[in-house]
Amino acid sequence: QVQLVESGGGSVQAGGSLQLSCAASGRTFSTYAMGWFRQAPGKERDFVARITWSGDSIYYSDSVKGRFTLYKDNAKNTVYLQMNNLKPEDTDVYYCGHANRRAGSRAYAYDYWGQGTQVTVSS
């Protein structure tokens, strides 16, 4: 069992920055990868980025490459998403996901989710 708590969301103007964090607790030794997804009402949970806990293999959605940076602090069991040059289309609820096994861009591959944090980007 893994518990995930996201934080760092807020409202910014286009071109601004936010940093999201996701703190993991529980059976964190079982972590294979952690990722960020975003979801708007009535939409699918869309992939943003993920990182493997060992090896630091990072995979980004094409829509955020060059703007978002994913990194982690193993000692703090925390993953971060630095979001720069935000666009209105980035507006969504952002969720942190945990995977026990190999996982990439598919939401169904993740076993646990945080409560979500709202990101709003105005033009």
Side-chain angles (χ1 to χ4, degrees):
Q1 188 70 235
V2 175
Q3 295 79 46
L4 306 171
V5 179
E6 304 108 327
S7 62
S11 298
V12 297
Q13 292 184 309
S17 298
L18 286 171
Q19 182 177 265
L20 307 183
S21 64
C22 175
S25 61
R27 294 181 178 271
T28 55
F29 60 85
S30 67
T31 302
Y32 180 86
M34 292 177 64
W36 286 97
F37 289 71
R38 57 192 183 186
Q39 187 173 25
K43 301 289 187 177
E44 294 285 302
R45 187 164 291 187
D46 293 326
F47 172 73
V48 176
R50 80 100 170 86
I51 186 169
T52 58
W53 212 245
S54 297
D56 297 319
S57 177
I58 300 174
Y59 176 52
Y60 294 100
S61 166
D62 288 342
S63 65
V64 306
K65 285 181 180 177
R67 300 189 298 119
F68 292 8
T69 302
L70 182 65
Y71 62 100
K72 61 182 175 67
D73 186 330
N74 292 57
K76 296 181 179 180
N77 292 315
T78 300
V79 63
Y80 305 89
L81 185 68
Q82 178 65 46
M83 305 186 294
N84 297 325
N85 192 25
L86 284 161
K87 304 175 180 180
E89 51 263 44
D90 295 319
T91 295
D92 265 319
V93 177
Y94 283 68
Y95 295 89
C96 177
H98 171 277
N100 291 316
R101 297 168 292 276
R102 293 176 64 179
S105 63
R106 305 294 187 177
Y108 64 74
Y110 294 78
D111 305 293
Y112 305 101
W113 297 95
Q115 80 285 358
T117 185
Q118 177 70 48
V119 171
T120 302
V121 184
S122 61
S123 60

